[in-house]
Amino acid sequence: MATNTSQDTTEGTQEAVCQAFHPVDANDSVTVLSFKVPEPIIIQDEAEASSSSLQDPATSTVASLGAKEAFFHICLDVSGSMAGSGINCAKAAMSKLIDHLEASGVPAHRITVYTFQSSCAIRHWGEKENDRQWLGNVRAGGGTSFASVFKAVVEVAEKQRRDIRRDDIDMDLSLFFFTDGADGDIGAQGPAKAKLEQLLKKTPYLESTVHTFGFTASHDAKLLSWLTSSGTNSGCFQYIRESRDIEASMITTMDLIGDNAMLAQRKVEIALVDDGQEGAEPKAADWITVKLEVDGISGSTVVRDRVYNGSKIVWREHEADGTTATDRANIVRDMSVKWLNEEDMDRVLGMTTFIQYELLRLVEAINTIGNSAKSAQEKRNELLVIDTETEAYSRALGALAFASARNKVKAIREPCMEACQRTKSLLQSFLSLKADAHKQGTISNTSLATFNSLAYGGIVESKLKAKLDSRAGKNSALFADIDTKVAEIVAKLDFAKMEAEVSEDTKRELSCAFSTNSYIEALQDGDCLCMTLDVTRSAAAIADASQLQIKSIFPTYLTSSMFTMALGHALSFDHPENVHGGFRQDTNASIAPGLAHENITAVMPIYINKEHWEVAKLRMKPILGYVVTLDATGYTYSQSTTVPFLVLAKAIEDSYPMTEFKQRQFQLILDTCDAIYQSSRSLRDTTKTMVKDFCASHVHRTVDVVTNNFIFLGHILCALRAGDLTAQEVAEMMPQLEIAMVEEQIRRDLPSKATHLMCNILDWFSDVRRQIVSSGEAYRKQHAAWVKTLDTTNGNEVVELSYRTTFLDASKQQLGSDGAIESSATDVATSLAVAEVAVPSVEPVLGIPVMDPDWILSKNHTDRLGFIQAAVAESVDKILRLLTLISAGPSNEKIQEALSLELGVHDVPDLATRFFDRFPVKVNLAAMLQAYAHCKNADRRSAVKMMTPFQYTRSETAPLFENDEGLQYIDSLFRAKANQLVSEIVNEVQGAFRDSQKNVAAAIFCNTNSLETAAGLLLEAGTRGGSGGLLVTCCAQRRMTRPREKIRMLVDGMFRGVRLFSDKCTTGDDILRWNPCKQTLYRMFTNHHSEFSLAEWRLFHPGRFDDYIACRYVLDGKVNELPQEERIQVQEIFVATTGRPLP
């Protein structure tokens, strides 16, 4: 095959380039390659692309890559240690993850949820109704068996692989693993791990990624470290020290997944070409497959065990289906190689990332050494090899840090020094971890967890940066021709006409504070005028622009070029965070002072007229990219449909007191939002439907549907002005929209603003909790007296008779007999006389109190409610101000009138206060309690036919609860909470009673000579676990009567043809015969070895403990009890198994 170096004309003219370096001195057999290739064929809708320069790029181009066969497996540890906040936070995080996957286009049947403890339950998402309700009802309890969930994942994944029906189709498996504990079934873990690793790493055409979440110090860091590295793609480990941090970590994971979970990533194949061998055709084994980054053009790989110092490599498109390649895919192209020197920033950053991954690899190697059966000296020798590698990386890192410090260019020096420092901290943690291995032969759990947290923290940060960089790569081409387009626009403008049509006052007001140029003069220079702002942001703004906080809007105007110049000047003299604020929300940064010495940290290009907007909308993209992500190339289309509407909401919030300048400034902001809305096809297509759905149902109001209520209301206002909504439609929807929007905003605000003020529903009713507790004490005493009477009335003989009767009834039902089984002297050694027994008084009951509908809130409770309303009043007021403008109508005149006569005369939070005053105090209380109960999106979605208490309608003649939504809801909460408190008391009392009854049953089973009574006890237990576990324990006691018959009942699960147990295995098959575990078998053998022959003992667990039973005969000195033939066999097995002579 001849190497084709010509570029396909359907692709760009960009050439493929590669950067390379050897990470270890004097070792050319390891090479790090980082490269970029031209984009694949792009299908461009030119008409659509030219319709608006602010249109979402994602809708104007479609890459040639299609969907992928992606499956998502979410595993949640529900063992007892997860009880409380741990399980609740983990379920909330899982729900958020599933929301994100579904919003990214993942079909429900591609999601599988596993809840595991001692066993594992599987839930195929979407297969049954009420998945959210099921997840909410998951409770923690039991032991921990990782083997159970590993086996379940393997079984489900293999079935999914078979269902695809083609072995040559790529399948993508993502595994999410939540746990806080160590394995309680370590013996079964090894084989299950091997099968899972075989699936994840060695299944053809299967790509896998594992994300693990270990929280609290008790999680098995070694296991999660292995699990995270077991995928074909690098996953993410997050060490979460407190349960409340789980959900925040999940947000980071969702950022890594991105919005294209079902789209395939492009792959290419590369082959190294040595100098002088350019014409040689690469062999099949020479090709290396590389999955590119999300940008579809960048890739990197590490080539090991291959000496390479060439100046060229070749590449081609990956042939995913293994069939004959197309002409286009057959083309092999050249890629030039640039070898990086020590000072290059790309080499420093690439080398630090390489060292981070190498340290993770070495940790796994140390774990493998520690778990091996090798001698201490062999382990030390292998650790010394790791010491040598570590020293090499330490020297390389030191040289990088030194070279970075000497670099004179600040923009290169600072990120390089930061990367070196971060990697140095990780190296120090690794050295501490390695010291543990030298001293103790293994790594401590805490040391490994801390190291993993540091290592994967850096990797997560670099991946998020890569996500931003991929966005930058796409935008670089987008921004490259902005100046050319602006020049073309400016050349067509009639500036003389513009100057004549605009008044001097307008030109003076709309001029740059620094250059004093009017907006027309700025336009002549290809510039635009911007409104100045003060903003803060968190790192979450990179993925979600609505996380940007608009602190202030200033009266100062700047041109975009003057803002850029001021930014560059400020960054050259001050720390970046003091200039732009970084990703912190508690900052007083300042790029430049405004006319009133305000701290300007951002600008927004504005719509002044059509001519100015033609340039402003182009300049807006890099500006918004910088304002949101601190990177001009970090622009996304969603920033255009988000940030201006956040500014609009802030302007409405600041409408008191209203001035003429504020009115003119507001009009500029509103016109800017109008221009963006009218040019956005996606907004115009969806807003009308979304507002109708929002009014119709609470499931369409959650944050996954409406990200930000203020932005959404801005879209509605612009839809009204654009004619997409009529004034009549808005008027008809307004009553419901107002109630729904206010209640939804309260629901979102309460967790962060008023959690400390919310309390148990019963606390709003004076003395009710105290009454329940007092009644509970009386109930305990009454129950204790009733139990005492029961014990006096029913002696053991009567209890034994009841168990015997249970068996006889079961025999009659199962076998169809009359139940008249004659008892021989061997069956019943004692006489059980049937006598008339006095029936004791009935078991006492603890009643549930009923809410008094006429109860009056105390002053303390009224004050508390006032504090809650005040906590959310600012946001509610902002919602009501936006709704007021929407109600005013579409015209500028009516909106300006509403600004000056309604909003401009009412201070914040006057509108919120007036809203709450419209409803009785109990309705306001009910609304707050309902919103707080549904503060999680999953809880809100799971509510059926929800009606907010603000939809309060009550006639004067109706009974108090009828048509009173507020009281009805409070009553439902009251009953639920009162029932919960009463149930806790009753369960505690009755649980103690049941435990005492279990002990009585165990004593009877152990001592009775009646096999019918013993069988009745096993029937009553129902299973060999739970209460039946005490009976299993009895079989290992030396003093148990008739051990052979009772052990037979337990093992066989039958007695006289009657089935005694209802156990079910995970596959759904009935378990009849029981195989005791090794510990129980040992105890049974020790106390009852003479009851069974050698063959019978072996049959108790066939094929598993044969050698163990044989050794026990020898070790316990019981071998002489065996016949001669079996004695010789047992002795031979003992010597062969232990390697020791006979004692």
Side-chain angles (χ1 to χ4, degrees):
M1 183 194 321
T3 300
N4 188 339
T5 59
S6 64
Q7 187 67 36
D8 192 336
T9 58
T10 60
E11 298 176 348
T13 57
Q14 175 191 1
E15 294 184 358
V17 293
C18 176
Q19 296 178 332
F21 64 89
H22 297 302
V24 182
D25 291 339
N27 184 2
D28 293 352
S29 64
V30 180
T31 308
V32 178
L33 302 174
S34 177
F35 57 86
K36 286 191 175 182
V37 296
E39 294 182 357
I41 294 176
I42 301 295
I43 303 170
Q44 180 81 26
D45 186 342
E46 295 181 1
E48 185 177 293
S50 62
S51 65
S52 170
S53 60
L54 277 176
Q55 185 176 326
D56 186 353
T59 65
S60 60
T61 60
V62 182
S64 58
L65 295 176
K68 63 182 178 183
E69 299 289 345
F71 297 87
F72 301 85
H73 301 252
I74 307 172
C75 307
L76 173 63
D77 182 349
V78 293
S79 59
S81 58
M82 286 285 290
S85 62
I87 190 70
N88 293 332
C89 292
K91 289 193 296 184
M94 283 179 57
S95 181
K96 188 177 287 290
L97 171 62
I98 294 171
D99 288 345
H100 178 79
L101 293 176
E102 291 178 339
S104 300
V106 177
H109 69 273
R110 296 296 183 95
I111 302 171
T112 308
V113 176
Y114 307 79
T115 53
F116 68 96
Q117 36 149 312
S118 300
S119 58
C120 179
I122 304 172
R123 178 87 171 190
H124 298 287
W125 209 250
E127 191 174 86
K128 300 179 181 178
E129 295 182 356
N130 302 322
D131 283 325
R132 303 282 180 178
Q133 185 176 352
W134 167 82
L135 181 59
N137 292 334
V138 169
R139 297 291 179 266
T144 306
S145 172
F146 292 136
S148 64
V149 68
F150 290 167
K151 291 175 183 176
V153 169
V154 171
E155 290 173 3
V156 173
E158 288 180 342
K159 182 180 184 302
Q160 290 170 340
R161 183 68 186 152
R162 291 193 299 271
D163 290 345
I164 294 175
R165 299 183 183 278
R166 285 185 60 187
D167 293 334
D168 55 356
I169 295 293
D170 282 346
M171 172 178 167
D172 192 285
L173 185 152
S174 296
L175 177 63
F176 304 87
F177 205 88
F178 298 79
T179 183
D180 75 333
D183 201 340
D185 188 13
I186 199 70
Q189 188 187 109
K193 281 178 63 178
K195 289 183 179 179
L196 181 63
E197 187 169 28
Q198 175 74 22
L199 168 78
L200 297 177
K201 278 193 172 180
K202 300 179 182 179
T203 303
Y205 298 101
L206 174 69
E207 293 190 4
S208 56
T209 309
V210 184
H211 300 285
T212 56
F213 303 83
F215 36 100
T216 74
S218 61
H219 76 270
D220 190 336
K222 289 183 180 178
L223 178 68
L224 294 192
S225 179
W226 164 81
L227 189 57
T228 308
S229 63
S230 60
T232 57
N233 301 322
S234 59
C236 172
F237 166 86
Q238 295 186 63
Y239 176 24
I240 304 162
R241 289 169 174 80
E242 297 183 21
S243 297
R244 64 188 181 190
D245 297 330
I246 298 174
E247 194 165 355
S249 297
M250 184 52 64
I251 293 175
T252 300
T253 304
M254 289 188 294
D255 286 344
L256 293 177
I257 297 171
D259 300 326
N260 299 318
M262 293 299 293
L263 294 181
Q265 283 182 242
R266 184 184 177 197
K267 296 178 186 177
V268 298
E269 296 175 355
I270 64 171
L272 307 184
V273 178
D274 292 318
D275 290 343
Q277 301 294 323
E278 287 82 356
E281 180 180 347
K283 299 177 182 178
D286 294 336
W287 290 102
I288 303 168
T289 301
V290 181
K291 178 189 280 190
L292 302 185
E293 301 293 341
V294 291
D295 61 1
I297 60 174
S298 305
S300 60
T301 188
V302 178
V303 180
R304 301 178 187 273
D305 302 322
R306 166 74 155 85
V307 175
Y308 178 67
N309 291 289
S311 58
K312 186 181 78 171
I313 62 178
V314 292
W315 71 281
R316 67 186 183 189
E317 296 290 342
H318 175 62
E319 301 168 12
D321 59 2
T323 59
T324 303
T326 62
D327 292 340
R328 177 180 179 276
N330 251 335
I331 297 175
V332 177
R333 300 170 175 81
D334 290 344
M335 185 186 302
S336 60
V337 177
K338 175 188 175 184
W339 289 91
L340 300 176
N341 58 42
E342 199 172 71
E343 292 78 17
D344 280 326
M345 181 170 71
D346 289 336
R347 185 182 191 280
V348 174
L349 299 180
M351 182 66 184
T352 53
T353 301
F354 174 80
I355 292 175
Q356 290 175 23
Y357 278 103
E358 282 296 283
L359 293 180
L360 284 170
R361 180 182 64 81
L362 293 178
V363 166
E364 287 304 308
I366 293 175
N367 281 333
T368 302
I369 294 170
N371 295 332
S372 69
K374 297 179 180 179
S375 66
Q377 184 58 48
E378 288 175 320
K379 290 183 178 181
R380 279 194 292 270
N381 292 339
E382 292 184 0
L383 287 174
L384 288 175
V385 173
I386 292 177
D387 288 346
T388 303
E389 289 189 66
T390 307
E391 290 171 4
Y393 293 137
S394 181
R395 288 194 302 270
L397 185 60
L400 289 175
F402 181 72
S404 299
R406 289 186 305 168
N407 198 301
K408 302 298 183 183
V409 182
K410 183 179 180 181
I412 297 176
R413 181 175 67 251
E414 288 189 351
C416 289
M417 289 296 295
E418 183 181 348
C420 289
Q421 186 60 46
R422 182 172 59 245
T423 309
K424 184 178 179 181
S425 299
L426 181 63
L427 181 61
Q428 292 297 327
S429 176
F430 175 79
L431 293 175
S432 299
L433 178 147
K434 187 162 63 70
D436 286 347
H438 275 292
K439 293 177 184 177
Q440 306 166 12
T442 186
I443 306 172
S444 71
N445 196 69
T446 304
S447 296
L448 183 55
T450 304
F451 170 80
N452 282 340
S453 181
L454 283 171
Y456 284 103
I459 290 170
V460 167
E461 184 177 327
S462 65
K463 285 186 176 181
L464 288 176
K465 184 179 183 302
K467 183 176 182 179
L468 192 59
D469 289 344
S470 71
R471 192 185 295 174
K474 293 178 181 178
N475 288 332
S476 294
L478 183 69
F479 296 158
D481 60 346
I482 283 182
D483 288 337
T484 302
K485 289 182 178 179
V486 167
E488 293 173 355
I489 293 169
V490 170
K492 298 176 183 178
L493 296 179
D494 186 347
F495 289 102
K497 182 180 178 182
M498 293 175 61
E499 289 279 0
E501 292 177 346
V502 178
S503 68
E504 290 298 321
D505 288 342
T506 299
K507 286 188 282 187
R508 190 164 39 252
E509 180 176 321
L510 297 178
S511 62
C512 176
F514 291 177
S515 67
T516 70
N517 286 342
S518 69
Y519 80 89
I520 298 177
E521 292 168 327
L523 201 54
Q524 286 177 305
D525 294 333
D527 209 345
C528 68
L529 198 65
C530 305
M531 189 168 290
T532 57
L533 312 166
D534 185 15
V535 304
T536 60
R537 66 193 69 73
S538 67
I542 294 175
D544 178 9
S546 68
Q547 299 299 314
L548 186 76
Q549 298 292 320
I550 312 295
K551 294 171 62 179
S552 299
I553 304 172
F554 299 131
T556 302
Y557 295 99
L558 293 178
T559 60
S560 61
S561 62
M562 293 307 298
F563 172 75
T564 304
M565 187 181 301
L567 174 62
H569 179 77
L571 288 173
S572 65
F573 285 97
D574 204 348
H575 190 277
E577 286 199 356
N578 295 334
V579 176
H580 51 57
F583 293 105
R584 293 169 46 205
Q585 295 183 316
D586 56 342
T587 178
N588 282 320
S590 176
I591 292 174
L595 292 176
H597 301 287
E598 61 267 31
N599 293 333
I600 297 172
T601 56
V603 295
M604 182 186 77
I606 54 176
Y607 182 100
I608 298 175
N609 51 39
K610 183 179 179 181
E611 294 79 7
H612 182 267
W613 182 242
E614 288 298 312
V615 173
K617 66 184 180 182
L618 294 174
R619 299 292 185 196
M620 177 177 277
K621 296 176 182 179
I623 288 176
L624 291 185
Y626 179 81
V627 168
V628 176
T629 70
L630 300 179
D631 186 339
T633 59
Y635 168 77
T636 62
Y637 168 69
S638 63
Q639 293 166 4
S640 295
T641 58
T642 298
V643 177
F645 292 90
L646 288 174
V647 176
L648 177 67
K650 181 61 179 175
I652 295 175
E653 180 184 0
D654 294 342
S655 56
Y656 174 86
M658 182 53 63
T659 64
E660 289 185 8
F661 178 82
K662 279 187 178 181
Q663 283 184 292
R664 292 194 298 273
Q665 190 179 56
F666 175 83
Q667 190 64 53
L668 290 171
I669 299 170
L670 182 57
D671 289 344
T672 303
C673 291
D674 280 340
I676 291 170
Y677 175 85
Q678 291 173 20
S679 65
S680 172
R681 187 186 65 189
S682 59
L683 277 183
R684 301 195 70 165
D685 288 346
T686 59
T687 300
K688 184 173 182 177
T689 302
M690 286 181 65
V691 68
K692 289 184 176 180
D693 289 344
F694 191 96
C695 293
S697 173
H698 58 283
V699 299
H700 298 296
R701 302 171 195 164
T702 51
V703 71
D704 55 311
V705 180
V706 177
T707 305
N708 183 291
N709 289 331
F710 309 119
I711 295 171
F712 183 44
L713 287 173
H715 292 167
I716 295 173
L717 177 59
C718 291
L720 176 64
R721 289 167 59 80
D724 294 340
L725 285 170
T726 66
Q728 182 178 351
E729 287 176 323
V730 169
E732 291 172 353
M733 289 188 291
M734 186 53 67
Q736 177 61 19
L737 179 62
E738 179 192 45
I739 294 296
M741 186 62 73
V742 168
E743 196 276 340
E744 175 62 21
Q745 190 60 42
I746 291 173
R747 186 185 73 85
R748 298 186 186 193
D749 281 355
L750 281 177
S752 60
K753 296 182 178 180
T755 295
H756 61 292
L757 296 170
M758 304 303 293
C759 54
N760 190 303
I761 180 64
L762 296 182
D763 293 338
W764 295 93
F765 298 83
S766 301
D767 299 328
V768 171
R769 178 183 288 275
R770 192 179 303 111
Q771 291 172 11
I772 293 177
V773 173
S774 177
S775 300
E777 290 300 321
Y779 169 74
R780 284 186 176 89
K781 294 177 181 178
Q782 294 169 6
H783 197 278
W786 175 75
V787 170
K788 188 175 182 180
T789 303
L790 194 64
D791 291 342
T792 303
T793 307
N794 288 348
N796 276 351
E797 290 183 349
V798 175
V799 175
E800 286 195 42
L801 179 61
S802 69
Y803 285 123
R804 182 170 180 266
T805 303
T806 297
F807 172 73
L808 296 177
D809 290 343
S811 176
K812 181 177 180 181
Q813 183 178 357
Q814 291 188 28
L815 304 180
S817 67
D818 59 4
I821 301 177
E822 294 184 3
S823 299
S824 64
T826 57
D827 286 334
V828 182
T830 58
S831 174
L832 299 178
V834 180
E836 291 292 331
V837 179
V839 179
S841 59
V842 296
E843 183 178 0
V845 176
L846 179 58
I848 300 174
V850 178
M851 188 188 91
D852 178 7
D854 295 321
W855 112 98
I856 299 174
L857 286 172
S858 67
K859 183 179 183 306
N860 287 339
H861 290 148
T862 304
D863 290 344
R864 180 187 288 270
L865 179 59
F867 291 142
I868 295 172
Q869 292 175 186
V872 300
E874 185 176 333
S875 295
V876 171
D877 190 273
K878 192 172 177 180
I879 292 289
L880 294 170
R881 288 175 183 271
L882 280 158
L883 289 169
T884 299
L885 293 187
I886 294 172
S887 299
S891 68
N892 289 336
E893 293 76 12
K894 290 184 177 181
I895 287 177
Q896 291 292 346
E897 182 180 340
L899 277 173
S900 58
L901 300 182
E902 295 185 51
L903 305 186
V905 297
H906 293 291
D907 196 0
V908 177
D910 287 356
L911 270 63
T913 302
R914 288 163 56 187
F915 177 86
F916 290 129
D917 288 346
R918 285 161 46 186
F919 305 97
V921 65
K922 292 177 185 177
V923 171
N924 286 329
L925 172 61
M928 298 298 169
L929 292 173
Q930 182 190 61
Y932 189 70
H934 293 172
C935 61
K936 296 177 181 176
N937 293 326
D939 293 333
R940 170 51 58 97
R941 282 191 293 265
S942 64
V944 179
K945 295 182 180 180
M946 193 206 79
M947 179 182 291
T948 170
F950 288 139
Q951 294 169 295
Y952 166 82
T953 55
R954 177 186 168 200
S955 65
E956 295 297 327
T957 58
L960 191 57
F961 273 62
E962 187 177 336
N963 297 325
D964 192 333
E965 181 70 22
L967 280 177
Q968 288 176 13
Y969 185 75
I970 292 176
D971 180 57
S972 66
L973 285 180
F974 179 93
R975 284 185 279 108
K977 291 294 182 181
N979 184 62
Q980 178 185 345
L981 190 57
V982 168
S983 296
E984 288 173 359
I985 297 172
V986 171
N987 290 340
E988 178 189 346
V989 173
Q990 294 186 347
F993 173 66
R994 285 193 295 269
D995 288 343
S996 67
Q997 292 299 101
K998 289 177 187 176
N999 294 332
V1000 170
I1004 293 174
F1005 183 80
C1006 189
N1007 297 324
T1008 185
N1009 282 311
S1010 168
L1011 297 183
E1012 294 164 356
T1013 299
L1017 280 159
L1018 295 179
L1019 268 169
E1020 189 77 19
T1023 66
R1024 299 178 180 95
S1027 59
L1030 288 174
L1031 307 183
V1032 173
T1033 303
C1034 289
C1035 289
Q1037 295 182 6
R1038 181 174 300 174
R1039 60 184 179 83
M1040 185 178 70
T1041 61
R1042 309 192 71 175
R1044 180 179 177 84
E1045 292 86 348
K1046 293 177 183 177
I1047 290 175
R1048 273 293 182 195
M1049 287 183 195
L1050 277 166
V1051 171
D1052 296 338
M1054 299 285 292
F1055 178 64
R1056 292 180 180 168
V1058 176
R1059 183 187 177 105
L1060 303 177
F1061 299 109
S1062 59
D1063 302 67
K1064 294 278 186 180
C1065 69
T1066 54
T1067 61
D1069 298 330
D1070 289 347
I1071 293 179
L1072 192 60
R1073 186 174 178 82
W1074 170 64
N1075 299 319
C1077 67
K1078 192 173 184 179
Q1079 185 180 38
T1080 302
L1081 192 61
Y1082 164 71
R1083 291 175 178 170
M1084 288 181 179
F1085 181 85
T1086 301
N1087 294 316
H1088 307 298
H1089 60 87
S1090 61
E1091 297 289 337
F1092 300 95
S1093 67
L1094 172 62
E1096 287 176 319
W1097 279 117
R1098 285 177 169 175
L1099 285 175
F1100 283 171
H1101 218 308
R1104 186 172 180 185
F1105 297 135
D1106 291 2
D1107 295 345
Y1108 173 75
I1109 292 295
C1111 294
R1112 287 260 54 97
Y1113 270 102
V1114 176
L1115 293 174
D1116 294 352
K1118 312 298 182 184
V1119 70
N1120 292 328
E1121 298 177 2
L1122 297 173
Q1124 178 69 20
E1125 183 178 345
E1126 289 185 349
R1127 185 187 315 156
I1128 295 172
Q1129 181 187 3
V1130 163
Q1131 290 172 338
E1132 289 175 350
I1133 291 174
F1134 176 83
V1135 173
T1137 303
T1138 64
R1140 294 157 49 188
L1142 292 171

